[in-house]
Amino acid sequence: MAYRENVKNKYREALSTYLRDQTEQALYQGQKISKKSIEHNIAPEEIINIHKNILMDVYPDTPGEFLDSLDFLLEVMMGYGFAYREHQSLRHIQQELKTEIEIAANVQSTLLETTIPNVDGLEIGAISVPARQMSGDYYHFVQDEKKHIGVAIADVIGKGIPAALCMSMIKYAMDSLPEHRHNPSSVLESLNRVVEHNVDPSMFITMFYGLYNPENHRFSYSAAGHEPGFYYESATKEFTDLTAKGLLLGVDKKTKYMQYEKKVEPGDMIILLSDGVTECRTSEGFIERETLIEFIQQNIHLHAQDIVNRLFKQLEKMQHFQLRDDFTLLILKRDV
């Protein structure tokens, strides 16, 4: 109440000054009153009522028709006042949600954090950029006591908080696997049972899991409906699809996954990605896998981390710096 009385006094002073002098300074005082009124939730119809009462006090001879017109304006502005108050309420709710999502995104980032292993003779590059605050993509590296490198990349079919929660569950399930259960097919079968039991039937997860043995340079892998990666053979300078058949996680808890194997020669590369890479949309439509191969070839002389960074920047630029889907790209490159 005290502030409303203060507004009346300031409004009276500013209005009287403007009617007398009609200066820019007097108009500026009106703007300041407007901002303060918004901060203190004074509705538009209240301002009109204040305006009318001041006119009647300062200019008692004001024509009745003019005062009646202000009554009409007051009624009109009441609708605006209701809409304004609802808008303020929604803004407050939106700000609360934004704050909660920011906190959740930070928590997710901590939960999904992984360390890129340092392995003699092997370069590893990784980049993962969410299209929104929270990611539906996930990648993870595991190094066992034998120095074998496990690498996982997954993608939830969906976006937002539900997808992020699924990714956190996958990370927890992977961390809970026994040390001896790192064969790719066994890993996927274990995770599939977890997803089928705990995730809503409307949500599915694609995943690729591989295990690199630095002693014999063999890479074994399995996939659950995930986007095929690429394999680069240095001897022939050719790229082939790293295809592995397997049902998405969460469809059938009895699903068995096939396991594949490749011998990684010096200079060879394993390229793993999410569909946010292959489904990069430009003004001409989705880019072709051949285009991705061309970009990789242009940077193939670089370190694996520099390759993924360059490729992301090129694709981001093609999309006018607006990602439409989560972007995750991993490269394992055996030193020459």
Side-chain angles (χ1 to χ4, degrees):
M1 291 298 293
Y3 182 77
R4 278 169 166 72
E5 193 60 37
N6 188 37
V7 166
K8 289 180 182 179
N9 294 332
K10 286 186 175 295
Y11 196 96
R12 177 188 296 270
E13 181 182 344
L15 179 60
S16 300
T17 301
Y18 179 71
L19 291 175
R20 183 182 67 247
D21 302 330
Q22 297 188 12
T23 62
E24 291 292 330
Q25 183 62 30
L27 284 175
Y28 176 65
Q29 292 302 315
Q31 293 177 10
K32 290 173 64 177
I33 292 171
S34 174
K35 290 178 181 178
K36 288 293 183 181
S37 298
I38 291 172
E39 291 175 8
H40 289 80
N41 295 318
I42 296 179
E45 64 267 25
E46 288 187 68
I47 297 295
I48 295 173
N49 199 44
I50 291 171
H51 185 94
K52 177 185 175 183
N53 290 332
I54 291 173
L55 276 181
M56 292 171 65
D57 289 344
V58 178
Y59 301 103
D61 296 331
T62 301
E65 293 83 354
F66 180 74
L67 296 176
D68 292 341
S69 71
L70 291 180
D71 288 336
F72 181 82
L73 180 60
L74 189 148
E75 289 296 324
V76 171
M77 293 307 294
M78 284 182 67
Y80 281 88
F82 289 133
Y84 165 75
R85 287 188 286 275
E86 183 178 2
H87 172 70
Q88 289 295 93
S89 175
L90 290 174
R91 280 190 62 186
H92 178 70
I93 294 171
Q94 185 181 43
Q95 186 58 48
E96 287 183 340
L97 286 173
K98 182 180 178 182
T99 301
E100 290 178 3
I101 290 173
E102 287 175 353
I103 294 171
N106 290 332
V107 171
Q108 186 201 30
S109 177
T110 301
L111 287 174
L112 301 186
E113 190 173 10
T114 188
T115 301
I116 298 178
N118 186 8
V119 184
D120 290 339
L122 185 69
E123 297 176 10
I124 300 177
I127 188 169
S128 187
V129 182
R132 302 179 183 177
Q133 282 182 286
M134 302 187 73
S135 179
D137 279 4
Y138 161 72
Y139 77 92
H140 186 54
F141 290 98
V142 180
Q143 189 170 19
D144 62 20
E145 67 280 355
K146 296 180 181 179
K147 304 298 182 183
H148 295 173
I149 305 299
V151 55
I153 181 170
D155 185 4
V156 177
I157 299 176
K159 295 182 177 64
I161 294 176
L165 291 173
C166 283
M167 284 297 97
S168 300
M169 184 197 66
I170 286 288
K171 170 63 161 41
Y172 177 79
M174 283 201 65
D175 289 343
S176 302
L177 291 174
E179 287 292 326
H180 63 281
R181 291 291 303 279
H182 281 163
N183 283 334
S185 58
S186 299
V187 168
L188 291 188
E189 286 164 16
S190 297
L191 294 177
N192 179 61
R193 288 191 291 270
V194 172
V195 172
E196 195 278 335
H197 184 70
N198 294 282
V199 175
D200 187 276
S202 65
M203 297 189 71
F204 300 101
I205 299 171
T206 71
M207 189 170 185
F208 180 103
Y209 188 82
L211 189 67
Y212 181 79
N213 185 336
E215 295 177 356
N216 59 19
H217 303 290
R218 292 194 174 276
F219 183 69
S220 53
Y221 59 95
S222 295
H226 196 75
E227 183 76 22
F230 298 105
Y231 188 88
Y232 172 72
E233 189 174 340
S234 178
T236 62
K237 295 184 171 24
E238 291 182 352
F239 287 83
T240 55
D241 287 349
L242 198 63
T243 303
K245 296 180 180 180
L247 198 61
L248 286 74
L249 299 181
V251 177
D252 181 358
K253 65 180 178 181
K254 296 181 181 179
T255 299
K256 297 294 182 181
Y257 292 92
M258 295 181 62
Q259 187 163 301
Y260 305 81
E261 188 175 281
K262 272 191 174 292
K263 181 72 165 69
V264 183
E265 302 292 347
D268 287 4
M269 290 195 307
I270 300 159
I271 300 142
L272 308 177
L273 39 81
S274 66
D275 59 10
V277 180
T278 54
E279 293 181 5
C280 167
R281 185 188 292 273
T282 68
S283 57
E284 299 176 356
F286 293 122
I287 65 168
E288 301 291 338
R289 287 173 69 88
E290 289 74 16
T291 304
L292 290 174
I293 290 174
E294 289 176 10
F295 287 161
I296 296 170
Q297 284 177 323
Q298 291 169 10
N299 301 289
I300 208 163
H301 59 286
L302 300 175
H303 186 280
Q305 186 60 52
D306 294 326
I307 296 175
V308 297
N309 290 341
R310 288 276 188 94
L311 189 59
F312 170 70
K313 289 180 180 177
Q314 285 175 299
L315 295 180
E316 184 186 35
K317 185 177 180 181
M318 289 176 67
Q319 297 180 89
H320 305 291
F321 303 97
Q322 291 183 340
L323 294 183
R324 292 174 172 82
D325 198 0
D326 303 321
F327 182 106
T328 301
L329 177 65
L330 312 176
I331 290 181
L332 283 70
K333 181 180 183 182
R334 184 180 171 189
D335 289 348
V336 178

